[in-house]
Amino acid sequence: MSLTPQFLDELRARTLLSGLVAKTVKLQKAGREFRACCPFHQEKTPSFYVNDDKGFYHCFGCSAHGDAIRWMTDQRGLPFIDAVKELAQAAGMEMPEQDRRSAEKAERAKGLHEAMADAATWFVEKLNGIEGAEARNVLKRRGVTEDVARSFGLGFAPDSRGKLKEALKGYGDAMLVEAGMLIQVEEKEPYDRFRGRLMIPIRDVRGRTIAFGGRIIGDGEPKYLNSPETPLFDKGRTLYNLDRAQAAARKSGRIIAVEGYMDVIALAQAGFGEAVAPLGTALTEHQLERLWRIAEVPLLCFDGDSAGQKAALRAAHRALPMLQPGRSLAFVTLPEGLDPDDLVRTKGANAFEALLKAPQPLVDRLWQSEVAAEPLDTPEQRAGLKRRLTELAGSIAEPNVKHEYLAEFRERLDTHFGRGPRAYEARTQRGPAAPARGKRDKRGNWQPPEAMPGATMRGLVASGGLDPILARAVLAGLIRHPAEIARHMEVLGSLRSASGALGKLFEAVIDVALEDRQLDSGKVLTILARSGFDSVASDLLRADTLPFSFTRNQADEARAREDLNEAIAVMVAQPAVDAALAEATAVLVRDGSEEAFTRQVALSRKRQELQARLANLMLADEEEFDD
């Protein structure tokens, strides 16, 4: 069986090396790489690294080095062909047929690479020669420096039907037609495809020229002309500048997708080397997967005109079925009528950097688009919006992400149509009140509300998962602001099962609220005294014991209620997050999988966020009362 270099390259590209290695080796995240103790020699300090971007592993101790196929042969001990078969099956690729045509195809591909490299060199020579004067002026007017033009391999195709054909005649017309450099028309001599155009080489991830994009010099149509699909070039799987952008993305921690070649080149010249572009089409699933291998949340920065924003929305819809926890898209919206090239040339790199620092999350882009799609004046129109949003969320394959989107859209619908107060009043009249709603964080990004506790949460509370200091503070706040008890009845009801004195006091406070909905703090204290909690409740109300606004006697009422709501949300979320984090850590220690690592990191961040939210409540209050 003859395996072509193209087949093996595609196999490597479709195989996530860290995921493959993690099946037998415990990996730890180390920046953009993973590290571990080397499986090929004994060591105590990790010196074995796996790099997904470059597709290889390397040990600095024993010099073991290779790609996914080498891993299967050296570490698993498989014969080469068996290793390829196993990887191909996992990647969903069919093995090549066992005939002589495979070898011939491989030899042809080698010749095609050489022909494309020679064509790129010839175009560069023409750009720098007498015939390229007008093309050089175009680059100069667009502000492209000679160094940048050289680094991107820019060239020029003279306005001739046969000059390239003559220059590369050693390859033969058939090979040049197959490479997309000549056009073959029935019963006519093949002729040059690119004529009178600025030539932009398109390279694969290994930096080899596989196709070209040609921009017209002067007037004419089409403005841009791309190579046709060839044995080397699959338009839907290729991203322009990916070979160069990967290294820049590792440094910046982001990847930016823009619309066109010149946008990429202009951004690179302005210091944004992490930009790539699709090739005249909307982003495909394969291109999105390539972007997600570089960054969890790629930034899509399409032109500010109507066409550019429609392309961004198409990408958003196409990404939905592929979303995973932590994996999404964000959108950078340019001023109307400007593209990235225009922006950096007229307003400078700082203006573009400012936009990159405040991208619009995917959920915001979807919501904004659907709300603006049609009027929302009638019940039928509002029902249409709800149906569209439900269908969008329903297209997400991952169950947890789908659930979060459905919940998010429900919250936004209620908020947008002003249903929040009515829903609250209806619930308080018949019993439990509405749970706390979502809100926007300091950056303006929407944050969904904390999930309501279920059976698992009640079990965690019963086993003593509550933070006792925070629970005491919340109790004090509820005694001072008893109207808030009804608002959080569903949440607080699960705390009645808490063990010890805290659980009993929570139960007493809830029972008090059930007896009388028109409570003030004095009534609560009186009823608690009859239940034997007078001394405990009085102790909780001492202003100098707990540093929160809602435990203070003279605090601003609105501020105290808002802080109490936040404290309850943190208190309820903490036990579930702590338990999930402990479980994820145990799984990570046990199998060391990439999925376990990702979950453990996400939960650690969630735990830190909860601690920060609580610290903000305490610090803000201390500063206020110290003044």
Side-chain angles (χ1 to χ4, degrees), residues 436-503:
R437 300 195 174 278
K439 59 183 180 180
R440 295 189 179 277
D441 62 19
K442 294 179 180 179
R443 296 184 177 181
N445 298 324
W446 183 265
Q447 299 297 317
E450 299 292 343
M452 298 299 293
T456 302
M457 178 63 211
R458 289 191 289 272
L460 292 170
V461 169
S463 63
L466 283 181
D467 180 337
I469 297 177
L470 181 56
R472 284 168 54 83
V474 167
L475 279 168
L478 293 173
I479 294 171
R480 285 203 181 277
H481 309 281
E484 298 303 300
I485 300 174
R487 288 194 61 201
H488 299 283
M489 189 71 74
E490 290 185 59
V491 173
L492 299 174
S494 66
L495 305 181
R496 299 169 73 167
S497 59
S499 59
L502 283 177

Side-chain angles (χ1 to χ4, degrees), residues 268-406:
Q269 183 165 299
F272 303 95
E274 63 271 29
V276 297
L279 300 162
T281 62
L283 279 170
T284 67
E285 289 84 352
H286 297 293
Q287 290 168 334
L288 286 169
E289 286 287 359
R290 286 286 175 97
L291 293 174
W292 276 320
R293 290 182 65 174
I294 298 171
E296 288 187 340
V297 185
L299 302 176
L300 271 55
C301 181
F302 292 169
D303 295 353
D305 57 14
S306 175
Q309 294 311 296
K310 286 180 180 178
L313 188 60
R314 285 196 299 271
H317 287 183
R318 183 161 286 177
L320 279 174
M322 307 164 69
L323 297 182
Q324 296 288 332
R327 188 169 89 168
S328 186
L329 295 176
F331 299 83
V332 177
T333 302
L334 300 177
E336 187 173 356
L338 293 182
D339 57 29
D341 183 10
D342 298 327
L343 184 66
V344 296
R345 282 193 291 115
T346 59
K347 299 184 180 297
N350 289 338
F352 188 68
E353 180 65 44
L355 293 176
L356 294 179
K357 288 183 177 179
Q360 182 184 39
L362 173 60
V363 67
D364 286 355
R365 176 56 60 99
L366 295 170
W367 168 262
Q368 174 185 307
S369 170
E370 295 303 331
V371 168
E374 63 178 41
L376 300 173
D377 302 323
T378 68
E380 293 82 2
Q381 291 168 336
R382 292 191 288 273
L385 172 63
K386 182 178 179 180
R387 175 182 55 79
R388 295 195 303 274
L389 292 171
T390 301
E391 289 175 352
L392 286 176
S395 69
I396 301 172
E398 209 284 327
N400 292 323
V401 179
K402 179 190 295 187
H403 172 77
E404 291 298 330
Y405 266 76
L406 287 169

Side-chain angles (χ1 to χ4, degrees), residues 64 77 82 102 137 176 286 312 411 453 484 496 519 539 543 585:
D82 291 342
S102 297
N137 287 334
L176 295 178
H286 297 293
E411 290 292 333
E484 298 303 300
R496 299 169 73 167
L519 286 173
D539 183 58
T585 302

Side-chain angles (χ1 to χ4, degrees), residues 15-87:
T15 302
L16 184 65
L17 184 57
S18 63
L20 180 66
V21 174
K23 292 179 180 179
T24 53
V25 177
K26 181 182 176 182
L27 296 178
Q28 294 179 323
K29 192 73 172 175
R32 298 293 301 180
E33 300 177 324
F34 295 88
R35 68 180 179 186
C37 289
C38 181
F40 298 103
H41 79 286
Q42 298 295 322
E43 62 176 6
K44 295 182 179 180
T45 302
S47 61
F48 178 82
Y49 286 78
V50 178
N51 188 311
D52 281 330
D53 293 335
K54 297 181 179 179
F56 66 74
Y57 60 83
H58 182 81
C59 177
F60 291 92
C62 68
S63 299
H65 183 93
D67 57 14
I69 300 171
R70 186 68 177 269
W71 174 261
M72 299 292 281
T73 59
D74 288 5
Q75 203 272 336
R76 293 275 305 278
L78 296 177
F80 175 81
I81 196 67
D82 291 342
V84 173
K85 287 180 178 178
E86 186 170 325
L87 291 174

